[in-house]
Amino acid sequence: MRSPMCEAFGWIALALAHRQRGSVDDVETTLTSLRALAARSGSAMVDFHGHDLDAWVARRRDDAFGESAALAEALRLLARHDMLYPALGTDALLAETAAAALAHGVEAAFVQRWIQRRGLKAPADGLAPDWPLALRLRVLGGFEVAIDGQPLSFEGKVQKRPLELLQALAVHGPAPVPVATLMDELWPELDGDAARKAFDAALLRLRRLLGTSATALRLEAGAVHLDATVMGCDLWWLQRLSALPPAVLQGRPTLEAWARGHARLHLLPLQQAGWAAVPRQRHARRMQQRFGVRNDADA
């Protein structure tokens, strides 16, 4: 006769298979059998998987508050026992759980460490501005570049042109940015060939500054392509969150607070070049329309 723990893991494996197929009803049916065994199994890992599956069902049924409560129970168990490697589940499913936890502000420090240790990739539909990507840009309320969680540092004088190029890419991204646009904005005083040489030099220096994270920038077909799987920016996240239906943020108070707090910040407040003026004004109008807040010039 199998032990309750072994039997429970069998039901978990079945529920996860149903989850991968997107069958909410089958997952709920399987959870009924799993709950009857969870208490007898005495396993924190079984409890984690049960609550994680509850959170997924709530997420699929647009029950944000139920999702948050189930995630809190699931991640509390992992964090308490410092379990970075749950027994079952693919990296894609675990990344979905991690993104949902960050969106709800559940065990954020543990979840970020979990992501980094396991090398989880952010799901495309996740809502997690604080996902620990290799390259992170801050352009709201100031300008900062972080590589693997550490501020970018370099020897010698400030690399003004390469960093200004990075700022322009952030403002226009995450969509591919035409080289012609960058040349017109950053080198308006130069003709075509000279502007292209200046752009090429600045891009080369920027890649050297970024080191291994330079793979986030790819020059192809006359445009700079930005790899959002390894590169994140607070502006991109704010634009994405501001486009969501209000109910999505209302069901996630941590995410809503992040969005409203960032909506008050000026876009690149210290950048006085002409190219930044129009995007800054446009951004301010959008934030006032969406969140009813004015940018804080002193932030």
Side-chain angles (χ1 to χ4, degrees):
M1 181 176 179
R2 291 195 301 172
S3 69
M5 184 183 298
C6 289
E7 192 172 351
F9 276 118
W11 286 112
I12 291 169
L14 180 60
L16 289 172
H18 292 320
R19 175 178 168 177
Q20 285 190 294
R21 293 191 296 105
S23 179
V24 178
D25 290 340
D26 286 339
V27 170
E28 285 189 307
T29 299
T30 308
L31 275 171
T32 301
S33 299
L34 177 60
R35 292 189 188 101
L37 289 166
R40 289 192 290 130
S41 74
S43 167
M45 194 64 73
V46 169
D47 288 339
F48 160 74
H49 283 296
H51 291 304
D52 181 40
L53 288 163
D54 283 332
W56 180 81
V57 169
R59 184 157 60 252
R60 294 299 294 265
R61 299 211 183 280
D62 293 325
D63 177 8
F65 295 103
E67 178 190 24
S68 178
L71 284 169
E73 288 297 317
L75 274 300
R76 176 181 60 82
L77 294 167
L78 289 192
R80 175 191 296 174
H81 298 283
D82 198 33
M83 293 187 294
L84 298 172
Y85 295 88
L88 299 175
T90 65
D91 280 355
L93 293 183
L94 295 175
E96 185 182 334
T97 295
L102 290 178
H104 285 286
V106 173
E107 300 287 352
F110 170 79
V111 171
Q112 288 184 336
R113 188 158 54 88
W114 186 30
I115 292 167
Q116 291 172 318
R117 287 282 297 276
R118 292 199 60 134
L120 298 178
K121 305 298 183 184
D125 59 351
L127 299 175
D130 294 325
W131 192 279
L133 293 170
L135 176 60
R136 290 170 60 91
L137 308 180
R138 180 174 70 90
V139 295
L140 298 172
F143 178 61
E144 183 177 89
V145 182
I147 298 176
D148 294 329
Q150 300 299 316
L152 176 65
S153 60
F154 44 83
E155 297 180 358
K157 64 180 181 179
V158 174
Q159 300 288 308
K160 182 179 178 180
R161 274 306 193 189
L163 293 178
E164 187 175 5
L165 174 58
L166 186 58
Q167 290 177 349
L169 290 169
V171 167
H172 291 298
V177 186
V179 172
T181 297
L182 296 166
M183 292 192 303
D184 288 344
E185 291 187 347
L186 272 63
W187 296 277
E189 74 284 1
L190 300 180
D191 61 23
D193 290 342
R196 181 59 196 242
K197 289 180 180 179
F199 164 79
D200 288 340
L203 181 60
L204 177 61
R205 290 163 62 198
L206 175 58
R207 283 174 165 159
R208 288 173 177 169
L209 277 177
L210 297 179
T212 57
S213 294
T215 56
L217 310 178
R218 188 179 79 257
L219 185 60
E220 182 179 304
V224 179
H225 296 250
L226 310 173
D227 187 351
T229 65
V230 297
M231 175 183 183
C233 178
D234 54 359
L235 174 64
W236 304 348
W237 270 112
L238 184 56
Q239 291 172 338
R240 181 175 173 183
L241 296 180
S242 67
L244 294 173
V248 174
L249 292 184
Q250 290 167 2
R252 297 165 175 80
T254 298
L255 203 59
E256 183 175 32
W258 187 97
R260 288 189 173 277
H262 284 73
R264 292 183 171 89
L265 303 177
H266 262 212
L267 173 61
L268 292 173
L270 300 181
Q271 179 53 264
Q272 299 303 310
W275 66 265
V278 172
R280 184 182 296 124
Q281 294 166 1
R282 184 169 57 241
H283 172 73
R285 287 195 299 269
R286 287 176 177 171
M287 294 305 103
Q288 187 168 12
Q289 292 169 359
R290 173 61 178 85
F291 296 105
V293 299
R294 296 183 64 85
N295 287 161
D296 182 357
D298 298 323

